[in-house]
Amino acid sequence: IPKIAAANDGGLGTIVVWQEESSAGSGVLRAQHVLATGDVDPAWPADGALLCNVVTARAAIGLVPDRLGGAYVWWKEGATLYLTRAAANGAIATGWPARGRSLGAAYPTTALPSVIEDGANGVYAGWASTAFGSNDPVSVLLLHLGPSNAGAGGWPNTARAAAGGDPAATFDYWPRLALAPDGGVFVAWASWSLDPGTIH
């Protein structure tokens, strides 16, 4: 089944992202901007903008508007999460790699990221990952990026852990993000430990 997602463009139109299949279950990633009239945006390619030309199977696709006429688009290939930004003309935005930015491995393999607007044309992303540290086998990682794929709001251009000081053998799962009134982010997640003396 082809994967597809849609979101408001920040105005009265819609941006649609889909996997265009070249074989059963796999294909490239395309996007299209539909105006409030129902017409395809003439600034975008008629057959959809090519956001990732790698032919592969994607388990899930999602997007949020950037409020600049484009959108931040995420997808999952196997256990790896990717993020990119489509500019107002459908082209991959300046500063973003053609392949998409790899966020790393997600855990469990069915886990999806939580991605929200930051209120200033940027995006917050949170996901569960096994790649943060050997003393914390599953960590919730956070990233705050601006339109040019650089760290935003004083954040580094790298992922940071949402939870600090968790004991070894603690598993943090299923993050959910919500924008705070000051432009920061609220983060909620589930936590489970192999240590019977630990309460979360």
Side-chain angles (χ1 to χ4, degrees), residues 124-127 140-144 155 158-163 175 177 185 187:
Y124 285 105
W127 66 99
V140 169
L141 302 188
L142 299 173
L143 194 62
H144 185 195
W155 286 50
T158 55
R160 59 169 54 171
L177 308 183
V185 64
V187 187

Side-chain angles (χ1 to χ4, degrees), residues 101 114 116-118 122-127 132 140-146 148-163 177-180 182-187 189:
R101 176 172 177 157
S114 181
I116 64 170
E117 302 175 62
D118 70 353
V123 67
Y124 285 105
W127 66 99
F132 192 76
V140 169
L141 302 188
L142 299 173
L143 194 62
H144 185 195
L145 296 176
S148 62
N149 191 27
W155 286 50
N157 195 11
T158 55
R160 59 169 54 171
L177 308 183
L179 189 64
D182 64 357
V185 64
F186 292 110
V187 187
W189 66 91

Side-chain angles (χ1 to χ4, degrees), residues 105-135:
Y107 185 93
T109 55
T110 56
L112 302 179
S114 181
V115 181
I116 64 170
E117 302 175 62
D118 70 353
N121 307 123
V123 67
Y124 285 105
W127 66 99
S129 173
T130 57
F132 192 76
S134 60
N135 291 328

Side-chain angles (χ1 to χ4, degrees), residues 2-198:
K3 301 300 184 293
I4 187 168
N8 180 271
D9 65 358
L12 298 176
T14 302
I15 295 176
V16 183
V17 179
W18 70 94
Q19 177 174 279
E20 182 175 283
E21 293 195 347
S22 54
S23 61
S26 67
V28 299
L29 195 65
R30 290 190 182 272
Q32 188 56 274
H33 184 208
V34 181
L35 302 174
T37 60
D39 298 314
V40 170
D41 187 340
W44 288 55
D47 57 352
L50 187 62
L51 296 187
C52 181
N53 64 3
V54 176
V55 177
T56 187
R58 294 172 179 87
I61 297 169
L63 71 156
V64 295
D66 62 6
R67 305 290 171 176
L68 296 170
Y72 292 93
V73 179
W74 63 263
W75 65 95
K76 193 165 179 292
E77 296 177 12
T80 303
L81 296 169
Y82 289 88
L83 179 70
T84 194
R85 177 176 164 249
N89 62 357
I92 295 172
T94 301
W96 292 82
R99 174 72 171 91
R101 176 172 177 157
S102 172
L103 301 183
Y107 185 93
T109 55
T110 56
L112 302 179
S114 181
V115 181
I116 64 170
E117 302 175 62
D118 70 353
N121 307 123
V123 67
Y124 285 105
W127 66 99
S129 173
T130 57
F132 192 76
S134 60
N135 291 328
D136 196 2
V138 182
S139 298
V140 169
L141 302 188
L142 299 173
L143 194 62
H144 185 195
L145 296 176
S148 62
N149 191 27
W155 286 50
N157 195 11
T158 55
R160 59 169 54 171
D166 275 350
T170 297
F171 295 77
D172 297 323
Y173 295 112
W174 304 300
R176 293 295 180 267
L177 308 183
L179 189 64
D182 64 357
V185 64
F186 292 110
V187 187
W189 66 91
S191 189
W192 174 72
S193 177
L194 296 176
D195 180 355
T198 301

